[in-house]
Amino acid sequence: MAIATVILAAGKGTRMNSGFPKVLHEIGNAPLLLHAWRLSQKLRPEKTILVVGKDGDKIRDCAAAKGIDAEFVVQNEPKGTGHAVLAARKKLDRFRGKLVVLYSDTPFVRHSTLNKLIASVEAGSAVSVLGFKASDPTGYGRLLLAPDGSLGKIVEHKDANSSELSIEFCNSGVLCASKSVLFDLLGEIDAGNSAEEVYLTDVVERAKRRGLACQAVECEEEETLGVNSRVELASAEAVFQRRSRIAAMSAGATLVQPNSVYFSFDTNLGIDTVVEPNVVFGPGVFVHRGARIRCFSYLEGCDVGMNAVVGPFARLRPGTELCADSKVGNFVEIKASRIGQGSKVPHLSYVGDAAVGEKSNVGAGTITCNYDGVSKHRTIVGDNVFLGSNSLLIAPIEIGDGSMVGAGSVVTTNVPPDALAISRMRQINKPGMASRIMRRLRKLKME
């Protein structure tokens, strides 16, 4: 049976004390919204509906920027989670299948857990709810099980008696049901409570009145971690990082000091990659097999080839490609450039908007001067080139294969293959001049 996902993203997130919606706050350098959407797409849904509030323009803009493919509906008034799901009804008129309701601020539910939830409905449950045993159940709705193990009722914390409050099995809010059943049940619920809201949790009671079976599927508490404040956002970041480190090591990467390495949502490390302490991966990093990322390096939007070495204290900016066996050393910054196979940029250099060929050496302190104050320009360095220390390459410029640039040169015109380029003043030594200058300076200081 087909699957559709409904992601609720209409909450105001007032506890975040923020100028933008809660779901745009980030963990792993990606908004909560993107995490929820990526989870939903693992189910290969026929439709994905995002329910936003009437001020959801920022969420729409974020979705467009992040490539989130979903249909939007607006919950014009905040009348509860059930009301939010009902807002998606028209978008699902022609859909025939099961609905999975997810929350944009609950990013850690596992794909395998959702599969269990769906399987429960396929096995005959009318409504299946995801539950967890809470270390501190305060504030959570309780899942009350019937003697046969089915889900009998959901009781909100504020409505629970002392016996029910002792129950540790709590409601996550995530649920699955067939579309027809879910909307039929929601249609029976009114907003005649003190909050004047339609609660999604009430569908269980309505289903039981009809004699329909409901089930609770248990997951780990961590999967249900919600983000409602900046404190909880920090806790979510810690969970994300721990999960990412474990996943990377399980896939064959070595993290020398795991707790000091920070991942983004899409970091990809190849087998036998070694990551030393205090490395930060920004978005869009792919590190191929056998590469070594040395300590205190920052990488973003780059591709690191097989057996390449980065760092220590290196920065790779977006658009950087390091080919196999290349090396970028300490205090080197690379931006929008390709470093060819076996080439080295060992230390204290800036390479921007450039292409360096194979087996070339970029000497210490070399800078590609790529910006003229208005536009960026390219630098092309060929194969087997030797750039002496403190070379300045004024782009646009090409340095031919097999050529050399003398240390301290300012290169403003193309260098032919196999040529030596030297551009600096002839050194002049003036005997005794240094001591005379120092005597004069000291005298001036005394005056």
Side-chain angles (χ1 to χ4, degrees), residues 267-326:
T267 304
N268 193 318
L269 303 184
I271 294 173
D272 295 325
T273 296
V274 177
V275 182
E276 295 182 5
N278 298 296
V279 169
V280 176
F281 293 105
V285 177
F286 194 105
V287 181
H288 292 264
R289 184 173 191 150
R292 188 177 192 96
I293 313 300
R294 304 195 65 191
C295 57
F296 294 100
S297 295
Y298 180 91
L299 295 79
E300 179 179 0
C302 60
D303 189 285
V304 179
M306 288 180 59
N307 302 316
V309 178
V310 177
F313 295 97
R315 184 183 181 193
L316 303 186
R317 291 170 58 190
T320 294
E321 179 186 359
L322 305 186
C323 295
D325 303 308
S326 60

Side-chain angles (χ1 to χ4, degrees), residues 68-112:
I68 293 174
D69 182 16
E71 298 182 57
F72 282 79
V73 296
V74 178
Q75 182 188 18
N76 288 310
E77 297 181 76
K79 291 187 176 181
T81 50
H83 182 261
V85 174
L86 282 169
R89 190 170 194 165
K90 287 185 179 179
K91 292 284 186 180
L92 294 163
D93 273 348
R94 298 183 180 180
F95 174 75
R96 300 291 181 269
K98 295 184 289 293
L99 293 186
V100 177
V101 178
L102 301 170
Y103 294 79
S104 56
D105 59 357
T106 306
F108 296 127
V109 180
R110 297 185 187 276
H111 178 211
S112 58

Side-chain angles (χ1 to χ4, degrees), residues 201-220:
T201 52
D202 286 348
V203 297
V204 172
E205 182 182 356
R206 296 290 174 168
K208 299 298 286 187
R209 288 183 185 179
R210 291 190 184 186
L212 300 175
C214 297
Q215 294 292 331
V217 174
E218 185 174 353
C219 68
E220 297 178 4

